[in-house]
Amino acid sequence: MFDLDERLRADTHAVGDLQLSLVLLNRDANYPWIILVPRREAMTEVYQLNAADRALLLQESCTLAEVMVALYQPEKINIATLGNQVPQLHMHHLARYKTDAAWPGPVWGKVPAINHSAGALSRRLDVLRAALAEHGLVANELVPGTTRAKEN
Amino acid sequence: MFDLDERLRADTHAVGDLQLSLVLLNRDANYPWIILVPRREAMTEVYQLNAADRALLLQESCTLAEVMVALYQPEKINIATLGNQVPQLHMHHLARYKTDAAWPGPVWGKVPAINHSAGALSRRLDVLRAALAEHGLVANELVPGTTRAKEN
């Protein structure tokens, strides 16, 4: 059974479910930073997914990247599957700006994480969920805090 | 017309062509580090590729990752499209080890690049070309040094 890694759970806010992947917003507010986690057990590399799941992950990644470009109007999208510290397969999507804290380098280990304010977090989740709902996002029941009702 | 970015050209050794992508070996010998560059003009993000090219890139990325696991037996594969400094769409593939210079962090900006010795480079290119030839790799005529003849 798929079970979200504890560190990913601790470091993110759940946004909802796409067909294959759980969508997570990183708690670090330095950058718009969204993570896809395919709901498949014991996967650490993209190539381990079967052909149908690979295609779904690609589609969801491209959809998410396009939504992030539309919402956040960044200079560049950075996408990565690293997993040296959290082996569970997960794909980072970052909106990057020439004015951000790590530009032009990658974001990892650059500056300390900062929190979203409560208001900014609520707005970001609302807007993101509305945009991804047009691409099939639904609430995730496995992760506390995903549904609107549970947040209130 | 597709033209390889000058910085990518300067920082790599050409390995050859897969159906969609030029395959490049990073000159930094700290890690087995291979880059795919789709031979398409004016692309900076994966989602900008058409559906057929997206699927090809995914297939080539997964093939390359599997070949790297077989050849280099790493702890983890890291895959990333960043492009903050070189916007031309290119996808990094790194074989990572618990003993490498940047583990467990990402490799960018961590330690100075080191060169392959001439012998090690020649062997690495030979082995890599042989492994990828089984997946359709052919010599790339656009990039000096790709073909065996030109190297000798």
Coordinates of all heavy atoms in Angstrom, one line a residue, chain A residues 54-147:
Chain A
R54 N 4.4 5.9 -16.1 CA 5.4 6.8 -16.6 C 4.8 7.9 -17.4 O 5.1 9.1 -17.3 CB 6.4 6.1 -17.5 CG 7.5 5.3 -16.9 CD 8.4 4.8 -18.0 NE 9.3 3.8 -17.5 CZ 10.3 3.2 -18.3 NH1 10.4 3.6 -19.5 NH2 11.1 2.3 -17.8
A55 N 3.9 7.5 -18.3 CA 3.2 8.5 -19.2 C 2.3 9.4 -18.4 O 2.3 10.6 -18.6 CB 2.4 7.8 -20.2
L56 N 1.7 8.9 -17.3 CA 0.8 9.7 -16.5 C 1.7 10.7 -15.7 O 1.3 11.9 -15.6 CB 0.1 8.8 -15.5 CG -1.3 8.4 -15.9 CD1 -1.8 7.4 -14.8 CD2 -2.3 9.5 -16.0
L57 N 2.8 10.3 -15.2 CA 3.7 11.2 -14.4 C 4.2 12.3 -15.3 O 4.2 13.5 -14.9 CB 4.9 10.4 -13.8 CG 5.8 11.3 -13.0 CD1 5.2 12.0 -11.9 CD2 7.0 10.4 -12.5
L58 N 4.6 12.0 -16.5 CA 5.0 13.0 -17.5 C 3.9 14.0 -17.8 O 4.1 15.2 -17.8 CB 5.4 12.3 -18.8 CG 5.8 13.3 -19.9 CD1 7.1 14.0 -19.6 CD2 6.0 12.5 -21.3
Q59 N 2.7 13.5 -18.0 CA 1.6 14.4 -18.2 C 1.3 15.3 -17.0 O 1.1 16.5 -17.2 CB 0.4 13.5 -18.6 CG -0.9 14.3 -18.9 CD -2.1 13.3 -19.0 OE1 -2.0 12.3 -19.6 NE2 -3.2 13.6 -18.3
E60 N 1.3 14.7 -15.9 CA 1.0 15.5 -14.7 C 2.1 16.5 -14.4 O 1.8 17.6 -14.0 CB 0.8 14.5 -13.5 CG -0.5 13.7 -13.6 CD -0.7 12.7 -12.5 OE1 0.1 12.5 -11.6 OE2 -1.8 12.1 -12.5
S61 N 3.3 16.1 -14.7 CA 4.5 17.1 -14.5 C 4.3 18.2 -15.5 O 4.5 19.4 -15.1 CB 5.8 16.3 -14.7 OG 6.9 17.2 -14.7
C62 N 4.0 17.9 -16.7 CA 3.9 19.0 -17.7 C 2.7 19.9 -17.4 O 2.8 21.1 -17.5 CB 3.8 18.4 -19.1 SG 5.3 17.7 -19.8
T63 N 1.6 19.3 -17.0 CA 0.4 20.1 -16.6 C 0.8 21.0 -15.4 O 0.4 22.2 -15.4 CB -0.8 19.1 -16.2 OG1 -1.2 18.4 -17.3 CG2 -1.9 19.9 -15.6
L64 N 1.4 20.4 -14.4 CA 1.8 21.2 -13.2 C 2.7 22.4 -13.6 O 2.5 23.5 -13.2 CB 2.4 20.4 -12.2 CG 2.9 21.1 -10.9 CD1 1.8 21.8 -10.2 CD2 3.6 20.1 -10.0
A65 N 3.7 22.1 -14.5 CA 4.6 23.1 -14.9 C 3.9 24.2 -15.6 O 4.2 25.4 -15.4 CB 5.7 22.5 -15.8
E66 N 3.0 23.9 -16.5 CA 2.2 24.9 -17.2 C 1.4 25.7 -16.3 O 1.2 26.9 -16.5 CB 1.4 24.2 -18.3 CG 2.2 23.7 -19.5 CD 1.4 23.4 -20.7 OE1 1.1 24.2 -21.5 OE2 1.0 22.2 -20.8
V67 N 0.7 25.1 -15.3 CA -0.1 25.8 -14.3 C 0.8 26.7 -13.5 O 0.4 27.9 -13.3 CB -0.8 24.8 -13.4 CG1 -1.3 25.5 -12.2 CG2 -2.0 24.1 -14.2
M68 N 2.0 26.3 -13.2 CA 2.9 27.1 -12.4 C 3.4 28.3 -13.2 O 3.5 29.4 -12.6 CB 4.1 26.3 -11.9 CG 3.7 25.3 -10.8 SD 5.1 24.2 -10.2 CE 6.0 25.4 -9.2
V69 N 3.6 28.1 -14.5 CA 4.0 29.3 -15.3 C 2.9 30.3 -15.4 O 3.1 31.5 -15.3 CB 4.4 28.8 -16.7 CG1 4.5 29.9 -17.7 CG2 5.7 28.0 -16.6
A70 N 1.6 29.8 -15.5 CA 0.5 30.7 -15.6 C 0.2 31.4 -14.3 O 0.0 32.6 -14.3 CB -0.8 29.9 -16.0
L71 N 0.3 30.7 -13.2 CA 0.0 31.3 -11.9 C 1.1 32.2 -11.4 O 0.9 33.3 -10.9 CB -0.2 30.3 -10.8 CG -1.4 29.4 -11.0 CD1 -1.5 28.4 -9.8 CD2 -2.7 30.2 -11.0
Y72 N 2.4 31.8 -11.6 CA 3.5 32.5 -10.9 C 4.4 33.3 -11.8 O 5.3 34.0 -11.4 CB 4.3 31.4 -10.1 CG 3.5 30.5 -9.2 CD1 3.7 29.2 -9.3 CD2 2.6 31.1 -8.4 CE1 2.9 28.3 -8.5 CE2 1.8 30.2 -7.6 CZ 2.0 28.9 -7.6 OH 1.2 28.0 -6.8
Q73 N 4.2 33.1 -13.1 CA 5.0 33.8 -14.1 C 6.5 33.9 -13.8 O 7.1 35.0 -13.7 CB 4.4 35.2 -14.3 CG 2.9 35.1 -14.7 CD 2.3 36.5 -15.0 OE1 2.9 37.5 -14.9 NE2 1.0 36.4 -15.3
P74 N 7.1 32.7 -13.7 CA 8.5 32.7 -13.3 C 9.5 32.9 -14.5 O 9.0 32.9 -15.7 CB 8.7 31.3 -12.8 CG 7.8 30.5 -13.6 CD 6.6 31.4 -13.8
E75 N 10.7 33.1 -14.2 CA 11.8 33.1 -15.3 C 12.0 31.7 -15.8 O 12.2 31.5 -17.0 CB 13.1 33.6 -14.6 CG 14.2 33.8 -15.6 CD 14.0 35.0 -16.5 OE1 13.2 35.9 -16.2 OE2 14.6 35.0 -17.6
K76 N 11.9 30.7 -14.9 CA 12.2 29.3 -15.3 C 11.6 28.4 -14.4 O 11.4 28.7 -13.2 CB 13.8 29.2 -15.3 CG 14.4 27.9 -15.9 CD 14.3 27.9 -17.4 CE 14.7 26.5 -17.9 NZ 13.7 25.5 -17.6
I77 N 11.2 27.2 -14.9 CA 10.8 26.1 -14.1 C 12.0 25.1 -13.9 O 12.7 24.8 -14.8 CB 9.6 25.4 -14.7 CG1 8.4 26.3 -14.8 CG2 9.2 24.1 -13.9 CD1 7.7 26.6 -13.5
N78 N 12.2 24.7 -12.6 CA 13.2 23.7 -12.4 C 12.5 22.4 -11.9 O 11.6 22.5 -11.0 CB 14.1 24.1 -11.2 CG 15.1 25.3 -11.5 OD1 15.8 25.7 -10.7 ND2 15.1 25.7 -12.8
I79 N 12.8 21.3 -12.5 CA 12.1 20.0 -12.2 C 13.2 19.0 -11.9 O 14.2 18.9 -12.6 CB 11.3 19.5 -13.4 CG1 10.2 20.6 -13.8 CG2 10.7 18.1 -13.2 CD1 9.4 20.2 -15.0
A80 N 13.0 18.3 -10.8 CA 14.1 17.3 -10.4 C 13.5 16.1 -9.6 O 12.6 16.3 -8.8 CB 15.2 18.0 -9.6
T81 N 14.1 15.0 -9.9 CA 13.9 13.8 -9.0 C 15.3 13.5 -8.5 O 16.2 13.1 -9.2 CB 13.4 12.6 -9.8 OG1 14.2 12.3 -10.9 CG2 11.9 12.7 -10.2
L82 N 15.5 13.7 -7.2 CA 16.8 13.5 -6.6 C 16.7 12.3 -5.7 O 17.0 11.2 -6.0 CB 17.2 14.8 -5.8 CG 17.2 16.1 -6.7 CD1 17.5 17.3 -5.8 CD2 18.2 16.0 -7.8
G83 N 16.1 12.5 -4.4 CA 15.8 11.3 -3.6 C 17.0 10.8 -2.9 O 17.0 9.6 -2.4
N84 N 18.1 11.5 -2.7 CA 19.3 11.0 -2.0 C 18.9 10.9 -0.5 O 19.4 10.0 0.2 CB 20.5 11.9 -2.2 CG 20.8 12.1 -3.6 OD1 20.5 11.2 -4.5 ND2 21.4 13.2 -4.0
Q85 N 18.0 11.8 0.0 CA 17.7 11.8 1.4 C 16.3 11.1 1.7 O 16.1 10.5 2.7 CB 17.7 13.2 2.0 CG 19.1 13.8 1.7 CD 19.4 15.1 2.5 OE1 19.2 15.1 3.7 NE2 19.8 16.2 1.8
V86 N 15.4 11.3 0.7 CA 14.1 10.7 0.8 C 13.9 9.8 -0.4 O 13.6 10.3 -1.5 CB 13.0 11.7 0.9 CG1 11.6 11.1 0.8 CG2 13.1 12.6 2.1
P87 N 14.2 8.5 -0.3 CA 14.2 7.7 -1.5 C 12.9 7.5 -2.2 O 12.8 7.3 -3.4 CB 14.7 6.3 -1.0 CG 15.4 6.6 0.3 CD 14.7 7.8 0.9
Q88 N 11.8 7.7 -1.5 CA 10.4 7.5 -2.1 C 10.4 8.5 -3.3 O 10.6 9.7 -3.2 CB 9.3 7.9 -1.1 CG 7.9 7.7 -1.7 CD 6.8 7.9 -0.7 OE1 6.6 9.0 -0.2 NE2 6.2 6.8 -0.4
L89 N 10.0 7.9 -4.5 CA 10.0 8.7 -5.7 C 9.1 9.9 -5.6 O 7.9 9.8 -5.3 CB 9.4 7.8 -6.9 CG 9.3 8.5 -8.2 CD1 10.6 9.0 -8.7 CD2 8.7 7.5 -9.3
H90 N 9.7 11.1 -5.8 CA 9.0 12.3 -5.8 C 9.7 13.3 -6.7 O 10.9 13.3 -6.9 CB 8.9 12.9 -4.4 CG 10.2 13.2 -3.7 ND1 11.1 12.2 -3.3 CD2 10.9 14.4 -3.5 CE1 12.2 12.8 -2.7 NE2 12.1 14.1 -2.9
M91 N 8.9 14.2 -7.3 CA 9.4 15.1 -8.4 C 9.2 16.5 -8.0 O 8.0 16.9 -7.8 CB 8.7 14.7 -9.7 CG 9.3 15.5 -10.9 SD 8.5 14.9 -12.5 CE 9.4 13.4 -12.8
H92 N 10.3 17.2 -7.8 CA 10.2 18.6 -7.4 C 9.8 19.5 -8.6 O 10.4 19.3 -9.7 CB 11.5 19.1 -6.9 CG 12.0 18.4 -5.7 ND1 11.6 18.8 -4.4 CD2 12.9 17.4 -5.5 CE1 12.2 18.0 -3.5 NE2 13.0 17.2 -4.1
H93 N 9.0 20.5 -8.4 CA 8.7 21.5 -9.4 C 8.9 22.9 -8.8 O 8.1 23.2 -7.8 CB 7.3 21.4 -10.0 CG 7.1 20.1 -10.7 ND1 7.0 18.9 -10.1 CD2 6.9 19.9 -12.0 CE1 6.8 17.9 -11.0 NE2 6.7 18.5 -12.2
L94 N 9.8 23.7 -9.2 CA 10.1 25.0 -8.6 C 9.9 26.1 -9.7 O 10.4 26.0 -10.8 CB 11.5 25.0 -8.1 CG 11.7 24.3 -6.8 CD1 12.9 23.3 -6.9 CD2 11.9 25.3 -5.7
A95 N 9.2 27.2 -9.2 CA 9.2 28.4 -10.1 C 10.3 29.3 -9.6 O 10.4 29.6 -8.4 CB 7.8 29.1 -9.9
R96 N 11.2 29.6 -10.6 CA 12.4 30.4 -10.2 C 12.4 31.8 -10.8 O 11.9 32.0 -11.9 CB 13.6 29.6 -10.7 CG 13.8 28.2 -10.1 CD 13.9 28.2 -8.6 NE 15.0 29.2 -8.2 CZ 16.3 28.8 -8.2 NH1 16.7 27.6 -8.6 NH2 17.2 29.7 -7.9
Y97 N 13.0 32.7 -10.1 CA 13.0 34.1 -10.5 C 14.5 34.6 -10.4 O 15.2 34.2 -9.5 CB 12.1 35.0 -9.6 CG 10.7 34.5 -9.5 CD1 10.3 33.5 -8.7 CD2 9.8 35.1 -10.4 CE1 9.0 33.1 -8.6 CE2 8.5 34.6 -10.4 CZ 8.1 33.7 -9.5 OH 6.8 33.2 -9.5
K98 N 14.8 35.6 -11.2 CA 16.1 36.2 -11.1 C 16.3 36.9 -9.7 O 17.5 37.1 -9.3 CB 16.3 37.2 -12.2 CG 16.5 36.5 -13.6 CD 16.8 37.5 -14.7 CE 17.0 36.7 -16.0 NZ 17.1 37.6 -17.2
T99 N 15.3 37.2 -9.1 CA 15.3 37.9 -7.8 C 15.2 36.9 -6.6 O 15.2 37.3 -5.4 CB 14.2 38.9 -7.6 OG1 12.9 38.2 -7.9 CG2 14.3 40.0 -8.6
D100 N 15.1 35.6 -6.8 CA 14.9 34.7 -5.7 C 16.2 34.4 -4.9 O 17.3 34.8 -5.4 CB 14.2 33.4 -6.1 CG 15.0 32.4 -6.9 OD1 16.2 32.3 -6.7 OD2 14.4 31.7 -7.7
A101 N 16.1 33.8 -3.8 CA 17.2 33.7 -2.8 C 18.4 32.8 -3.3 O 19.5 32.9 -2.8 CB 16.7 33.1 -1.5
A102 N 18.1 31.9 -4.3 CA 19.2 31.0 -4.8 C 19.6 31.2 -6.2 O 20.5 30.5 -6.7 CB 18.7 29.6 -4.6
W103 N 18.9 32.1 -7.0 CA 19.2 32.3 -8.4 C 20.7 32.6 -8.6 O 21.2 33.4 -7.9 CB 18.3 33.4 -8.9 CG 18.5 33.6 -10.4 CD1 19.4 34.4 -11.1 CD2 17.7 32.9 -11.4 NE1 19.2 34.3 -12.4 CE2 18.2 33.4 -12.7 CE3 16.7 32.0 -11.4 CZ2 17.7 32.9 -13.9 CZ3 16.2 31.5 -12.6 CH2 16.7 32.0 -13.8
P104 N 21.3 32.1 -9.7 CA 20.8 31.1 -10.6 C 21.1 29.6 -10.2 O 20.8 28.8 -11.0 CB 21.5 31.4 -11.9 CG 22.9 31.8 -11.4 CD 22.7 32.5 -10.0
G105 N 21.5 29.4 -9.0 CA 21.8 28.1 -8.6 C 20.6 27.3 -8.2 O 19.5 27.9 -8.2
P106 N 20.7 26.0 -8.1 CA 19.6 25.2 -7.6 C 19.3 25.6 -6.1 O 20.1 26.2 -5.5 CB 20.1 23.7 -7.6 CG 21.3 23.8 -8.6 CD 21.9 25.1 -8.4
V107 N 18.1 25.3 -5.7 CA 17.6 25.8 -4.4 C 18.1 25.1 -3.2 O 18.1 25.6 -2.1 CB 16.1 25.9 -4.3 CG1 15.5 26.7 -5.5 CG2 15.5 24.5 -4.4
W108 N 18.5 23.8 -3.3 CA 18.7 22.9 -2.2 C 19.9 23.4 -1.4 O 21.0 23.6 -1.9 CB 18.9 21.5 -2.6 CG 17.7 20.9 -3.2 CD1 16.6 20.3 -2.6 CD2 17.3 21.0 -4.6 NE1 15.6 20.0 -3.5 CE2 16.0 20.4 -4.7 CE3 17.9 21.5 -5.8 CZ2 15.3 20.3 -5.9 CZ3 17.2 21.4 -7.0 CH2 15.9 20.8 -7.0
G109 N 19.7 23.6 -0.1 CA 20.8 23.9 0.8 C 21.3 25.3 0.7 O 22.4 25.7 1.2
K110 N 20.6 26.2 0.0 CA 21.0 27.5 -0.2 C 20.7 28.5 0.9 O 21.6 29.2 1.4 CB 20.4 28.0 -1.6 CG 21.2 29.2 -2.2 CD 22.4 28.7 -2.9 CE 23.0 29.9 -3.7 NZ 23.9 29.4 -4.7
V111 N 19.5 28.7 1.2 CA 19.1 29.6 2.3 C 18.1 28.8 3.2 O 17.4 27.9 2.7 CB 18.4 30.9 1.7 CG1 19.4 31.6 0.9 CG2 17.1 30.6 1.0
P112 N 18.0 29.2 4.5 CA 17.0 28.6 5.4 C 15.6 28.7 4.9 O 15.2 29.7 4.3 CB 17.2 29.3 6.7 CG 18.6 29.9 6.6 CD 18.8 30.3 5.1
A113 N 14.8 27.7 5.1 CA 13.4 27.7 4.7 C 12.7 28.8 5.5 O 13.0 29.1 6.7 CB 12.8 26.4 5.0
I114 N 11.7 29.4 4.9 CA 10.8 30.4 5.6 C 9.4 29.9 5.5 O 9.1 29.2 4.5 CB 11.0 31.8 5.1 CG1 10.7 31.9 3.6 CG2 12.4 32.4 5.4 CD1 10.7 33.3 3.0
N115 N 8.6 30.3 6.4 CA 7.2 29.8 6.4 C 6.3 30.8 5.6 O 6.6 32.0 5.5 CB 6.6 29.8 7.8 CG 7.2 28.6 8.6 OD1 7.5 27.6 8.1 ND2 7.4 28.8 9.9
H116 N 5.3 30.2 5.0 CA 4.2 31.0 4.5 C 3.4 31.7 5.7 O 3.3 31.0 6.7 CB 3.2 30.2 3.7 CG 3.7 29.5 2.5 ND1 4.3 28.3 2.6 CD2 3.7 29.9 1.2 CE1 4.7 27.9 1.3 NE2 4.3 28.9 0.5
S117 N 3.0 32.9 5.5 CA 2.0 33.4 6.5 C 0.7 32.6 6.3 O 0.5 32.0 5.3 CB 1.8 34.9 6.3 OG 1.0 35.1 5.1
A118 N -0.1 32.6 7.4 CA -1.3 31.8 7.3 C -2.2 32.3 6.1 O -2.7 31.5 5.4 CB -2.1 31.9 8.6
G119 N -2.3 33.6 6.0 CA -3.1 34.1 4.9 C -2.6 33.7 3.5 O -3.3 33.3 2.6
A120 N -1.3 33.9 3.4 CA -0.6 33.6 2.1 C -0.8 32.1 1.8 O -1.0 31.8 0.6 CB 0.8 34.0 2.1
L121 N -0.6 31.3 2.8 CA -0.7 29.8 2.5 C -2.1 29.5 2.1 O -2.3 28.7 1.1 CB -0.4 29.1 3.8 CG -0.6 27.6 3.7 CD1 0.3 26.9 2.7 CD2 -0.3 26.9 5.1
S122 N -3.1 30.0 2.8 CA -4.5 29.7 2.4 C -4.8 30.2 1.0 O -5.4 29.4 0.2 CB -5.4 30.4 3.4 OG -6.7 30.2 3.1
R123 N -4.4 31.4 0.6 CA -4.6 31.9 -0.7 C -3.9 31.0 -1.7 O -4.4 30.7 -2.8 CB -4.1 33.3 -0.8 CG -5.1 34.3 -0.3 CD -4.7 35.8 -0.7 NE -3.4 36.1 -0.3 CZ -3.1 36.6 1.0 NH1 -4.0 36.7 1.9 NH2 -1.9 36.9 1.3
R124 N -2.6 30.7 -1.5 CA -1.8 29.9 -2.4 C -2.5 28.5 -2.7 O -2.6 28.1 -3.8 CB -0.4 29.7 -1.9 CG 0.4 28.8 -2.8 CD 1.9 29.1 -2.9 NE 2.1 30.3 -3.7 CZ 3.3 30.9 -3.9 NH1 4.4 30.3 -3.4 NH2 3.4 32.0 -4.6
L125 N -2.9 27.9 -1.6 CA -3.6 26.6 -1.7 C -4.9 26.7 -2.5 O -5.2 25.9 -3.4 CB -3.8 25.9 -0.3 CG -2.6 25.4 0.4 CD1 -2.9 25.0 1.8 CD2 -2.0 24.2 -0.4
D126 N -5.7 27.7 -2.2 CA -7.0 27.9 -2.9 C -6.8 28.1 -4.4 O -7.4 27.5 -5.2 CB -7.7 29.2 -2.3 CG -8.4 28.9 -1.0 OD1 -8.4 27.8 -0.6 OD2 -8.8 29.9 -0.4
V127 N -5.8 29.0 -4.7 CA -5.6 29.3 -6.1 C -5.0 28.0 -6.9 O -5.5 27.7 -8.0 CB -4.6 30.5 -6.3 CG1 -4.2 30.7 -7.7 CG2 -5.3 31.7 -5.8
L128 N -4.1 27.3 -6.2 CA -3.5 26.2 -6.8 C -4.6 25.1 -7.0 O -4.6 24.4 -8.1 CB -2.4 25.7 -5.9 CG -1.4 24.6 -6.4 CD1 -0.8 25.0 -7.7 CD2 -0.3 24.4 -5.3
R129 N -5.4 24.8 -6.0 CA -6.4 23.8 -6.1 C -7.4 24.1 -7.2 O -7.8 23.3 -8.0 CB -7.1 23.6 -4.8 CG -6.3 22.9 -3.8 CD -6.9 22.8 -2.4 NE -6.1 22.1 -1.4 CZ -6.0 22.4 -0.1 NH1 -6.7 23.3 0.4 NH2 -5.1 21.7 0.6
A130 N -7.8 25.4 -7.3 CA -8.7 25.8 -8.3 C -8.1 25.6 -9.7 O -8.8 25.0 -10.6 CB -9.1 27.3 -8.2
A131 N -6.8 25.9 -9.9 CA -6.2 25.8 -11.2 C -6.0 24.3 -11.5 O -6.3 23.9 -12.7 CB -4.8 26.4 -11.2
L132 N -5.7 23.5 -10.6 CA -5.4 22.0 -10.8 C -6.8 21.2 -10.9 O -6.8 20.2 -11.5 CB -4.5 21.4 -9.8 CG -3.0 21.9 -9.9 CD1 -2.2 21.3 -8.7 CD2 -2.4 21.4 -11.2
A133 N -7.8 21.8 -10.3 CA -9.1 21.1 -10.4 C -9.5 21.0 -11.9 O -10.2 20.0 -12.3 CB -10.2 21.9 -9.6
E134 N -9.1 22.0 -12.7 CA -9.4 21.9 -14.1 C -8.7 20.8 -14.8 O -9.0 20.4 -15.9 CB -9.1 23.2 -14.8 CG -9.9 24.4 -14.3 CD -9.5 25.7 -14.9 OE1 -9.0 25.7 -16.0 OE2 -9.8 26.8 -14.3
H135 N -7.7 20.2 -14.1 CA -6.9 19.1 -14.7 C -7.1 17.8 -13.8 O -6.3 16.9 -13.8 CB -5.4 19.4 -14.7 CG -5.1 20.7 -15.5 ND1 -5.0 20.6 -16.9 CD2 -5.0 22.0 -15.2 CE1 -4.8 21.8 -17.4 NE2 -4.8 22.7 -16.4
G136 N -8.2 17.8 -13.1 CA -8.6 16.5 -12.4 C -8.2 16.4 -11.0 O -8.4 15.3 -10.4
L137 N -7.7 17.5 -10.4 CA -7.3 17.4 -9.0 C -8.6 17.1 -8.1 O -9.6 17.8 -8.3 CB -6.7 18.7 -8.5 CG -6.1 18.6 -7.1 CD1 -4.7 18.0 -7.1 CD2 -6.0 20.0 -6.4
V138 N -8.4 16.2 -7.2 CA -9.5 15.9 -6.2 C -8.8 15.9 -4.8 O -7.6 15.9 -4.7 CB -10.2 14.6 -6.4 CG1 -10.9 14.6 -7.7 CG2 -9.2 13.4 -6.4
A139 N -9.6 16.0 -3.8 CA -9.1 16.0 -2.4 C -8.4 14.7 -2.1 O -8.9 13.7 -2.6 CB -10.2 16.3 -1.4
N140 N -7.4 14.7 -1.3 CA -6.7 13.5 -0.9 C -7.2 13.1 0.5 O -6.9 13.8 1.5 CB -5.2 13.6 -1.0 CG -4.5 12.3 -0.6 OD1 -4.6 11.9 0.6 ND2 -3.8 11.7 -1.5
E141 N -7.8 11.9 0.6 CA -8.3 11.5 1.9 C -7.3 10.9 2.8 O -7.5 10.8 4.0 CB -9.5 10.6 1.7 CG -10.7 11.1 0.9 CD -11.3 12.3 1.7 OE1 -11.2 12.4 2.9 OE2 -11.9 13.2 1.0
L142 N -6.2 10.5 2.2 CA -5.1 9.8 3.0 C -4.4 10.8 3.9 O -3.8 10.4 4.9 CB -4.1 9.1 2.1 CG -4.6 7.9 1.3 CD1 -3.6 7.5 0.3 CD2 -5.0 6.8 2.2
V143 N -4.3 12.0 3.4 CA -3.5 13.0 4.1 C -4.3 14.0 4.8 O -5.1 14.8 4.2 CB -2.6 13.7 3.1 CG1 -1.7 14.7 3.7 CG2 -1.7 12.7 2.3
P144 N -4.2 14.1 6.1 CA -5.0 15.1 6.9 C -4.7 16.5 6.3 O -3.5 16.8 6.0 CB -4.4 15.0 8.3 CG -3.8 13.6 8.4 CD -3.3 13.3 7.0
G145 N -5.7 17.3 6.2 CA -5.5 18.7 5.8 C -5.7 18.9 4.3 O -5.6 20.1 3.9
T146 N -6.0 17.9 3.6 CA -6.2 18.1 2.2 C -7.5 18.7 1.8 O -7.6 19.6 0.9 CB -6.1 16.7 1.4 OG1 -5.0 16.0 1.9 CG2 -6.0 17.0 -0.1
T147 N -8.5 18.3 2.5 CA -9.9 18.8 2.1 C -10.1 20.1 2.8 O -9.6 20.4 3.9 CB -10.9 17.8 2.6 OG1 -10.8 17.6 4.0 CG2 -10.7 16.4 1.9

